[in-house]
Amino acid sequence: MQNVAKCLSEKDRKALKVQTREEAELAYVAKSEKELQRKIESLLNRRGYRPIRQRMDRKSNIAEGMPDIQFSCYGQAVYWEIKLPGRNPDPAQKEQIAALLTAPNSAEVRVIRSYQEAFNHLQELERKYKPKQ
């Protein structure tokens, strides 16, 4: 089937709902990253944070490459770019991450690759920024 899919035009593949191996892999990665984003957003909501998560299904005014999840931890801006293990930020994302890390932004920015990594970083942030009693 893959040999046939490669021979078809993109228009014909869409009409027949046939994907090349590369297209199927990209769709799987996108779906899996969205699921990981939902789980991490749920973690933040349960802990009382109000995250902002980018919608990838609609055109947006947000700059290209901005991290997927943004929130504030005791006044500190935090940005998380969600990637599956083995995947890396693209050039536009790397550029935004670099800008957010430097003054005047000086935000906390991480590439998060698992729910556990998000949980651990959140605990680290809370230890660092939560006011002492």
Side-chain angles (χ1 to χ4, degrees), residues 16-91:
L16 296 170
K17 297 182 181 175
V18 175
Q19 294 180 322
T20 64
R21 185 179 314 278
E22 294 81 15
E23 290 169 336
E25 183 179 321
L26 287 174
Y28 172 77
V29 168
K31 182 179 177 185
S32 298
E33 278 187 0
K34 284 180 188 176
E35 183 59 32
L36 181 55
Q37 287 174 7
R38 280 190 216 100
K39 289 177 181 179
I40 290 170
E41 183 179 26
S42 178
L43 164 69
L44 291 167
N45 281 317
R46 285 192 313 273
R47 299 285 288 263
Y49 296 95
R50 294 296 172 251
I52 299 168
R53 183 165 60 101
Q54 308 302 330
R55 286 191 59 166
M56 306 324 276
D57 60 334
R58 292 188 180 176
K59 190 166 173 71
S60 169
N61 291 335
I62 295 172
E64 181 182 357
M66 281 299 284
D68 299 310
I69 296 177
Q70 306 161 33
F71 64 101
S72 176
C73 181
Y74 296 96
Q76 176 63 43
V78 181
Y79 296 84
W80 285 348
E81 177 60 39
I82 310 302
K83 292 289 178 194
L84 294 178
R87 311 280 304 181
N88 293 308
D90 64 35

Side-chain angles (χ1 to χ4, degrees), residues 78-108:
V78 181
Y79 296 84
W80 285 348
E81 177 60 39
I82 310 302
K83 292 289 178 194
L84 294 178
R87 311 280 304 181
N88 293 308
D90 64 35
Q93 292 168 330
K94 288 178 182 178
E95 185 178 321
Q96 286 292 349
I97 289 169
L100 291 167
L101 286 168
T102 57
N105 297 303
S106 305
E108 290 275 352

